[in-house]
Amino acid sequence: MTGYKLIAILLAMIIGLTGCVSREDDEKSNSSQETLSSDAKDSSSDNEDIDAATGESDIPVDNDKEDESKPQEEDSDNEIEEELPPPNLEEISKLPPDAIPWGPGVRKDKDGRSEACVMLQEKYGKYDAQFIAPKEKKIYLTFDEGYENGNSATILDILKEKNVQAVFFVTLEYVKANPELIQRMIDEGHIVGNHSAGHPNYTKISLEKAIEATMNLHNYMLDNYNYKMTLFRYPEGTFTEQTAALLQALGYKQVFWSFAYADWDPKSQIEDSVAYEKVKGATHDGAIYLLHAVSSTNSNILGKLIDAWRAEGYEISKYDVDYKINKVPDVPTDISE
């Protein structure tokens, strides 16, 4: 019995030792798997950081980690808009309120550029007002759209064929009535500019009404097209120093023109050949052309004009005029001067 007891004890000890070794191996294996899993997760996180920046990741991005590891981009132009301080109407109202008479006139300098526009540019350029572009071999086409007369699609067709980008200054009423044309303008790379809601004379309304007329269209384009307008053209081209400062404070460049002609009445159109010679004859460096889209004459001569300008070495440029105005000009506090 003593021998059997001794053998039983020895067997129990051997079994116990084997179990300990097995548990240690299992613990080591589990530990190793946890380490590999942790490494894989870290590696995945590193790849997410890299791929999220390139936009090429097939791995779902941890949004919380992304928020901590990289700066946030603005989601929309609405957020940018909110960062603009409201116009200081008290200070702006100290500027002269009188309408500023202006027009390109007939007097030209030695380069064929409007002397009036050059002078106006020097005087009011501080408000981001643009009457004529810098003296370069560039021509800028801008079209005013108060209402649709059946020519805009043809104009867009010609611009697309010639690979030209233009500016279309539209009213709120035009935008609401012609959503397909507005979307096409945007899709084909043109700039859609602000021509106000209601087309009021800005020299005859209050600053508060001017803000309303401007921002009603601005916000409609943001809400319905996710499109932020940055260029403004005054209805009738009328402005004051107050409105110039106001529009600048609202974030707008104000685009005037260095050439226009009587093309706005569909019932009183001049012959195509006469119109062509008039428009072509006014060619000058840095020209900002104002053409009305209601004119069938303009759509008839547009392609020929573009070809002729290019043959003379001009670039029909997308609107990129920038006089590098970096801040709102100082507003005088002593209005007795």
Side-chain angles (χ1 to χ4, degrees):
M1 292 296 292
T2 304
Y4 285 118
K5 289 182 179 179
L6 180 60
I7 292 171
I9 292 169
L10 289 172
L11 287 172
M13 291 176 63
I14 291 170
I15 292 169
L17 288 171
T18 303
C20 289
V21 171
S22 176
R23 284 194 298 272
E24 285 179 6
D25 288 342
D26 288 342
E27 288 171 1
K28 287 180 180 179
S29 176
N30 290 337
S31 176
S32 176
Q33 289 176 1
E34 290 173 1
T35 302
L36 287 172
S37 176
S38 176
D39 290 343
K41 187 181 293 184
D42 291 342
S43 175
S44 174
S45 297
D46 291 341
N47 288 333
E48 284 177 13
D49 288 343
I50 294 170
D51 293 342
T54 62
E56 298 174 356
S57 176
D58 291 328
I59 304 171
V61 176
D62 184 340
N63 291 326
D64 292 334
K65 179 165 184 178
E66 185 182 34
D67 290 343
E68 295 172 0
S69 62
K70 56 187 286 190
Q72 291 295 298
E73 298 177 357
E74 280 117 358
D75 291 335
S76 68
D77 290 326
N78 283 308
E79 292 185 2
I80 298 173
E81 194 69 22
E82 291 173 0
E83 293 177 2
L84 275 175
N88 188 334
L89 298 186
E90 181 179 356
E91 291 300 306
I92 291 173
S93 64
K94 295 175 183 178
L95 292 166
D98 301 324
I100 297 170
W102 84 279
V106 296
R107 296 183 60 179
K108 313 294 181 184
D109 63 16
K110 61 182 179 60
D111 300 307
R113 288 159 56 90
S114 162
E115 290 184 356
C117 287
V118 171
M119 180 197 70
L120 289 159
Q121 188 61 56
E122 292 174 353
K123 186 170 184 179
Y124 299 109
K126 62 186 177 181
Y127 296 113
D128 280 323
Q130 300 175 343
F131 298 85
I132 193 167
K135 188 183 171 187
E136 300 176 299
K137 294 282 284 187
K138 288 185 176 183
I139 288 173
Y140 300 92
L141 293 178
T142 71
F143 295 88
D144 280 10
E145 296 271 23
Y147 61 94
E148 182 53 45
N149 194 42
N151 301 314
S152 296
T154 300
I155 291 170
L156 287 167
D157 289 342
I158 295 168
L159 295 175
K160 185 176 183 179
E161 176 191 350
K162 302 295 184 182
N163 193 27
V164 170
Q165 280 75 49
V167 184
F168 289 88
F169 286 101
V170 300
T171 62
L172 177 58
E173 295 72 22
Y174 184 92
V175 173
K176 289 182 176 181
N178 301 279
E180 297 86 2
L181 287 172
I182 295 298
Q183 191 62 59
R184 184 178 172 188
M185 292 170 189
I186 296 170
D187 292 343
E188 295 181 4
H190 304 290
I191 296 174
V192 181
N194 191 328
H195 200 36
S196 82
H199 205 263
N201 183 321
Y202 271 54
T203 69
K204 297 179 180 179
I205 59 176
S206 67
L207 293 176
E208 291 81 4
K209 288 293 185 182
I211 293 173
E212 182 179 332
T214 304
M215 298 309 294
N216 279 355
L217 173 53
H218 183 100
N219 292 330
Y220 186 88
M221 289 297 293
L222 272 178
D223 293 342
N224 292 276
Y225 294 90
N226 194 30
Y227 186 90
K228 180 180 179 181
M229 291 177 147
T230 59
L231 302 182
F232 180 85
R233 174 164 283 160
Y234 291 100
E236 304 176 29
T238 57
F239 77 109
T240 71
E241 198 162 349
Q242 286 187 3
T243 64
L246 175 67
L247 267 294
Q248 184 185 47
L250 292 174
Y252 276 95
K253 292 180 180 178
Q254 299 145 77
V255 181
F256 293 84
W257 56 88
S258 60
F259 174 84
Y261 77 110
D263 63 344
W264 56 83
D265 185 354
K267 298 179 181 179
S268 182
Q269 295 288 293
I270 62 177
E271 292 292 331
D272 290 357
S273 58
V274 176
Y276 173 84
E277 292 300 327
K278 183 182 288 289
V279 177
K280 175 65 173 55
T283 302
H284 55 276
D285 291 358
I288 300 175
Y289 275 87
L290 162 57
L291 302 173
H292 284 87
V294 295
S295 166
S296 58
T297 300
N298 287 336
S299 61
N300 291 341
I301 66 176
L302 181 59
K304 184 179 177 181
L305 282 168
I306 292 171
D307 291 342
W309 283 323
R310 284 175 168 166
E312 293 184 5
Y314 280 95
E315 175 188 352
I316 319 303
S317 178
K318 185 169 183 176
Y319 202 87
D320 60 359
V321 181
D322 188 0
Y323 285 98
K324 303 189 186 309
I325 304 299
N326 295 319
K327 68 182 185 67
V328 176
D330 295 332
V331 177
T333 55
D334 184 359
I335 60 174
S336 64
E337 295 181 357

